Amino acid sequence: MGMWNFLVCVSACVFCLSRASDLWVQERIGEVSDLYFNKANNKAYVATKQGVIAALDIEGDGAIVWRQVLDKYDAINCFEQTLDEKATLSLSNGNVLRKWSNSDGSLLWASRQFVKDTKKKATTGEQSSGDMQLLSSNKVVVVDDLNMLSLYDVDDGDLIWKQAITFNNDDVDINASRRHALYAHEASNIVYVVTFFESFVVIQTHSLSTGELQSSVTSEHECRSTLPVRFDTAPFTQNDLTLVIVYECDSDVYTAPMHALSVSNDLTQTIALTVSYDVNRPVLRGWTLRIDAAAVTISGAHCQLYDVSLHAVNKLLSINAAESQSTSACDALDAAQLPQLRDRGRVQYVWPTAAAAGAMSSSVLLTSDGSLCLSSSDGRIYGAEWCREEALAQPHTVYLFDESEDESSLCSERMSERECEAAYNAPFPSLSGRLSHDILSALSLSGFDGKEVLRRLNTFFPITSAWLDSTFEKIITILTATGKLYGISSTAGDILWSVNLKELCHDADDSHGDDEYDIVSLLKVRQHPPHLLAILSDASKSKSKIISISSPFHTTQPHIHVESVSYATRNAFVTPWLSREHSDKIVILVSDDNLLHVYPSTEKSALSSHLSSIFYQTLSTTNQSLSGYRAANADDALLADEVWRKSFAHSENEIVDVAFSAREQLVVNAVYRTGERGAIYKYLNPHLIGVATVDRTQNVLNVYVMDGITGRIYLHQYHADVDLDMSGVSLLLFENKVVYSFFNRNTQSTEIHNIELWSSNPQDVPTKPRKPSEGYVVGENPLGDTNAFS
């Protein structure tokens, strides 16, 4: 058999769930988007961006009283508390209206507006559209994602009336992308329905008694061929009722202009308004219009409130800093510099609680790292009572540091079976052995420098950590999507420390300006002692931050060092080669101009002899493509040269999971003993990539196994009747196995498939007979010379 020949054995089973005893469990709710207080029982009822509805104990430590987790595609559009404060209403996915009991979180009733095609939404990435408003008559009016306007009784969920929203304009495609909002004016017995399409907006009035259409008008908007990223409505009753629609076309909260339209109560006049500010354009991240009696305000970032005034004669909408909010609660809290909030970024939103006269006032705060905190104040001194680490609900990268992951026991495919077993059973060097190695390394420097010796000793072996031979840092590190890095005990689940990486970037710049650092990667450059390297980049400013987080991890604060580089980093990966100074893995950073930068830069020469061995792969979910690159020399610079690309952009398939063969996995045994001295050899390739795609139109799952260096495809498996909505596809590569799971809608069960890769044919071993149906030999590229996905 040739170099690339190996055997593929396939087996399948039906997944059965059995409960094991939990060592520890942490429950999270996610980033809070809506919050209501119940004054009677001191509970807060919240909805989050992760589709969770929960009740929190405000008097206690913010513990979860009850929690309801909605389905994967059940994004919450609206969340309101009923008039009697005994229940909450939620509208999710633009489709499902639910009423929840505030006492125990039980579902009192639910109304599904229609059977929704979640596949289309997931494929196109289109957001669900829907809105609702609770009326003083204990009814709720709803506009759903299927252009239906409905009125429900809040007590029992009975439908009072339902009216289809029709568009008389022949240019309107009712299936086109759109966004709905409504405003019910009970005194006039009308409900306004505002529907934005990509090129125009339709405003309609309907009877609040019957839902019957009364009038309709169509107007162009300033977003041209895209939908607004955000819009809201508010009434102005200076003379006659006027509805104002405020919207934004760009998500840039610092420079994007705001636009507005005013509509008369009978829809006979639609006027484009100019938006003006009394100060510089305020930062209005996640803004909403608030209606309080006859006043209208708009909420901005960091809890700022601005008065909104309509000047109909001048066709002007002015946004002015509210006098009563010249110093907002958020600014006061930021200025107070609460010790509990210093590592959580700026305060984003404040939900004040009602306090009796003379009593301590309290507020629930949402910080920029996603934390939810309760703050109390007597008007002069602020204090944080508790904080919930809700950033952990959005994990980005997770690493485990444990004795079982010791690098000294790694086995590679270049080792024989005896060498693998010896490496697997080898203990970590003793304390005396490590010290001897470090001292010899330091003394071998040219010349003897006592300070250098001491520095090297503390670098290679931090004596101040009081290590023992048997001491390993049993830590789980979790980097969250908000940029917060946590160190959690793997034995007890306690949070030992946390670091806000984005705040470190701002501190290094000595500024909290408009820098927007995004997470590029978190790399493990050393397993023991633990050492992580976080890379964050600001593409708009063409700069990046490299943050080193090193041992000790089991204390309250690891060692941290921040370094700046003058280029935007697009990607980063570790190499298997170690730096001479710290024995860390050398890292390569990929900049936007496709240049490769070695980190530390002093190790560039060390990689020159290994240049032909450096390859990496990238996945683009936007372009639905997977690419392989190699490092190349060009005018004393390193370039990323594309070797291959596999794209699904012009097919019905979408990439749902990608798995890479772990570079440092433990291989206990490279052969399978069959008895009577027979053996078959595992196919161990550290460059394998598994790709899972799903054709949603045909409900077909495709699984490919390919080589990351050449782009060659070794294996293609496919399965029909896959239901991606019931369960996602999970893919895993380890040793010589490819394991994946999916939900089969035909059998109504989750299936797990296992593929084994072998370098020799078991049929050639007499003591290990195998039927042809249990495996097959791949001697040539199964997809032919074109090497394309089928």
Side-chain angles (χ1 to χ4, degrees):
M1 297 177 63
M3 178 181 177
W4 298 105
N5 294 2
F6 57 91
L7 178 82
V8 180
C9 301
V10 183
S11 60
C13 67
V14 176
F15 175 72
C16 298
L17 179 64
S18 61
R19 179 171 178 80
S21 58
D22 297 321
L23 182 62
W24 52 266
V25 175
Q26 288 193 7
E27 287 187 336
R28 302 292 167 189
I29 58 176
E31 183 179 346
V32 174
S33 55
D34 298 277
L35 186 146
Y36 291 96
F37 286 102
N38 189 308
K39 304 171 187 176
N41 55 19
N42 282 312
K43 298 292 188 298
Y45 303 97
V46 301
T48 72
K49 294 181 179 179
Q50 287 70 38
V52 176
I53 294 173
L56 303 179
D57 184 3
I58 297 299
E59 284 188 334
D61 56 357
I64 299 175
V65 180
W66 54 260
R67 183 182 69 155
Q68 295 285 358
V69 181
L70 304 185
D71 293 338
K72 178 179 179 181
Y73 298 110
D74 231 1
I76 298 173
N77 303 106
C78 305
F79 183 73
E80 291 191 35
Q81 190 167 213
T82 57
L83 299 177
D84 59 8
E85 298 187 346
K86 293 182 179 180
T88 51
L89 294 175
S90 69
L91 176 66
S92 58
N93 206 16
N95 178 32
V96 186
L97 181 65
R98 297 181 177 96
K99 181 181 180 181
W100 309 90
S101 169
N102 280 355
S103 59
D104 57 7
S106 59
L107 181 63
L108 300 178
W109 55 261
S111 173
R112 187 176 297 273
Q113 307 299 95
F114 54 91
V115 178
K116 189 161 190 175
D117 183 9
T118 56
K119 299 178 186 177
K120 176 176 177 279
K121 294 288 180 182
T123 304
T124 61
E126 182 183 340
Q127 298 179 357
S128 61
S129 175
D131 197 9
M132 73 176 184
Q133 181 179 332
L134 191 63
L135 307 179
S136 59
S137 58
N138 207 32
K139 296 178 178 60
V140 59
V141 58
V142 178
V143 57
D144 64 37
D145 199 30
L146 201 63
N147 306 321
M148 299 294 294
L149 186 66
S150 308
L151 186 69
Y152 287 89
D153 184 274
V154 172
D155 289 333
D156 50 21
D158 288 344
L159 176 65
I160 298 175
W161 53 255
K162 177 176 286 190
Q163 179 69 44
I165 300 175
T166 58
F167 304 100
N168 298 325
N169 192 331
D170 295 335
D171 296 330
V172 175
D173 180 5
I174 61 172
N175 296 316
S177 298
R178 60 199 178 280
R179 302 272 173 82
H180 291 302
L182 61 78
Y183 172 73
H185 193 260
E186 296 183 74
S188 304
N189 198 39
I190 58 174
V191 55
Y192 293 88
V193 178
V194 181
T195 306
F196 269 91
F197 292 89
E198 291 184 346
S199 301
F200 50 87
V201 57
V202 179
I203 304 104
Q204 297 182 340
T205 57
H206 293 256
S207 167
L208 201 51
S209 301
T210 63
E212 181 181 357
L213 176 66
Q214 294 181 341
S215 56
S216 177
V217 65
T218 301
S219 176
E220 294 182 350
H221 61 74
E222 296 297 328
C223 298
R224 307 306 178 190
S225 58
T226 60
L227 289 171
V229 295
R230 180 178 296 275
F231 74 97
D232 205 352
T233 62
F236 287 83
T237 54
Q238 295 162 335
N239 296 311
D240 295 328
L241 174 64
T242 301
L243 185 73
V244 171
I245 305 163
V246 183
Y247 62 97
E248 278 182 320
C249 303
D250 195 323
S251 57
D252 189 335
V253 297
Y254 298 99
T255 61
M258 297 189 71
H259 307 281
L261 289 170
S262 69
V263 185
S264 60
N265 61 343
D266 57 0
L267 303 189
T268 56
Q269 285 187 319
T270 303
I271 302 172
L273 303 175
T274 301
V275 180
S276 67
Y277 314 100
D278 66 340
V279 293
N280 292 333
R281 194 265 199 230
V283 179
L284 298 173
R285 181 186 288 108
W287 57 267
T288 54
L289 292 175
R290 299 181 181 180
I291 306 166
D292 183 14
V296 178
T297 57
I298 187 170
S299 63
H302 315 308
C303 317
Q304 294 286 353
L305 277 181
Y306 301 88
D307 288 326
V308 182
S309 303
L310 174 64
H311 306 279
V313 177
N314 299 326
K315 301 180 181 179
L316 181 69
L317 188 74
S318 61
I319 298 179
N320 306 315
E323 293 182 3
S324 60
Q325 295 290 332
S326 57
T327 301
S328 72
C330 287
D331 286 337
L333 289 165
D334 282 335
Q337 294 183 341
L338 303 182
Q340 300 92 329
L341 302 180
R342 284 175 184 165
D343 191 40
R344 303 183 186 277
R346 297 193 64 181
V347 177
Q348 294 290 88
Y349 300 101
V350 170
W351 291 277
T353 63
M360 293 277 289
S361 63
S362 58
S363 303
V364 174
L365 321 174
L366 177 67
T367 58
S368 59
D369 73 338
S371 299
L372 194 69
C373 303
L374 179 69
S375 170
S376 59
S377 170
D378 61 359
R380 295 176 294 105
I381 301 175
Y382 290 86
E385 304 294 332
W386 51 256
C387 284
R388 290 189 56 85
E389 303 288 351
E390 292 307 330
L392 285 168
Q394 306 173 68
H396 182 280
T397 307
V398 180
Y399 287 120
L400 170 65
F401 295 91
D402 199 274
E403 182 177 0
S404 61
E405 296 289 328
D406 174 24
E407 283 183 344
S408 66
S409 63
L410 293 179
C411 175
S412 69
E413 67 274 12
R414 295 183 296 273
M415 295 181 179
S416 65
E417 179 186 355
R418 180 175 297 180
E419 289 172 331
C420 283
E421 292 181 354
Y424 182 72
N425 295 314
F428 195 74
S430 64
L431 173 63
S432 59
R434 294 199 296 273
L435 282 175
S436 299
H437 177 273
D438 295 338
I439 292 174
L440 287 175
S441 174
L443 292 179
S444 64
L445 299 172
S446 57
F448 183 86
D449 186 338
K451 292 183 179 180
E452 180 66 15
V453 171
L454 185 60
R455 187 187 68 80
R456 287 226 163 193
L457 280 176
N458 282 279
T459 299
F460 278 88
F461 186 81
I463 301 175
T464 55
S465 302
W467 281 13
L468 299 175
D469 288 351
S470 59
T471 299
F472 285 84
E473 303 200 55
K474 300 181 182 296
I475 300 293
I476 300 172
T477 59
I478 302 177
L479 175 62
T480 67
T482 62
K484 195 76 170 285
L485 178 66
Y486 292 88
I488 299 177
S489 166
S490 62
T491 56
D494 299 328
I495 297 176
L496 303 179
W497 50 264
S498 63
V499 179
N500 193 325
L501 301 183
K502 293 189 176 182
E503 286 299 303
L504 289 179
C505 293
H506 293 304
D507 292 342
D509 289 340
D510 196 26
S511 170
H512 271 272
D514 57 355
D515 297 329
E516 288 291 336
Y517 284 95
D518 297 317
I519 300 170
V520 176
S521 188
L522 179 69
L523 304 175
K524 181 167 62 174
V525 295
R526 189 174 60 219
Q527 172 71 31
H528 188 74
H531 188 186
L532 294 173
L533 211 63
I535 297 96
L536 293 89
S537 180
D538 184 350
S540 63
K541 302 292 182 63
S542 296
K543 59 183 180 179
S544 303
K545 293 290 187 288
I546 302 173
I547 304 176
S548 168
I549 307 102
S550 58
S551 181
F553 277 12
H554 59 279
T555 59
T556 56
Q557 186 72 32
H559 294 149
I560 297 173
H561 175 71
V562 182
E563 184 175 340
S564 301
V565 293
S566 58
Y567 52 82
T569 304
R570 185 175 59 195
N571 211 330
F573 59 93
V574 295
T575 70
W577 299 286
L578 303 180
S579 63
R580 287 166 294 185
E581 187 173 3
H582 300 292
S583 295
D584 292 337
K585 290 178 181 175
I586 300 174
V587 173
I588 291 182
L589 309 176
V590 185
S591 59
D592 283 340
D593 52 6
N594 256 21
L595 288 178
L596 302 182
H597 306 266
V598 179
Y599 184 85
S601 58
T602 54
E603 300 293 340
K604 183 177 179 180
S605 59
L607 287 187
S608 58
S609 59
H610 305 290
L611 198 60
S612 60
S613 302
I614 299 177
F615 296 84
Y616 72 96
Q617 298 82 36
T618 62
L619 169 68
S620 172
T621 54
T622 303
N623 299 326
Q624 288 291 295
S625 65
L626 190 68
S627 304
Y629 296 84
R630 67 180 179 90
N633 245 328
D635 299 329
D636 200 32
L638 292 181
L639 291 176
D641 182 26
E642 185 176 273
V643 178
W644 56 265
R645 177 187 293 266
K646 310 295 182 185
S647 177
F648 295 91
H650 302 293
S651 71
E652 297 295 334
N653 285 273
E654 65 169 309
I655 300 174
V656 293
D657 197 15
V658 174
F660 296 86
S661 183
R663 300 295 191 268
E664 298 176 349
Q665 59 183 304
L666 299 175
V667 181
V668 179
N669 200 331
V671 299
Y672 182 88
R673 297 295 184 184
T674 61
E676 299 182 11
R677 299 182 180 179
I680 54 176
Y681 293 87
K682 297 177 181 178
Y683 181 79
L684 300 174
N685 183 348
H687 309 294
L688 287 182
I689 303 175
V691 183
T693 69
V694 170
D695 182 345
R696 291 180 179 270
T697 60
Q698 303 295 327
N699 298 315
V700 173
L701 167 68
N702 294 274
V703 177
Y704 303 93
V705 178
M706 60 185 297
D707 186 279
I709 305 299
T710 64
R712 178 182 176 181
I713 300 164
Y714 293 145
L715 175 71
H716 176 200
Q717 297 283 111
Y718 63 91
H719 303 272
D721 298 318
V722 172
D723 193 337
L724 201 60
D725 297 330
M726 288 296 297
S727 176
V729 175
S730 184
L731 187 62
L732 173 67
L733 301 181
F734 71 99
E735 285 196 1
N736 67 325
K737 295 179 174 59
V738 182
V739 183
Y740 56 93
S741 66
F742 61 90
F743 188 85
N744 189 318
R745 64 168 56 189
N746 186 34
T747 61
Q748 287 295 296
S749 60
T750 298
E751 297 183 5
I752 298 179
H753 288 251
N754 175 47
I755 301 174
E756 296 176 346
L757 312 178
W758 302 94
S759 293
S760 54
N761 190 347
Q763 296 183 29
D764 296 336
V765 183
T767 57
K768 181 69 175 178
R770 188 180 290 271
K771 298 178 181 179
S773 61
E774 294 180 355
Y776 56 92
V777 178
V778 180
E780 297 179 355
N781 189 341
L783 299 182
D785 296 333
T786 59
N787 195 35
F789 285 118
S790 59

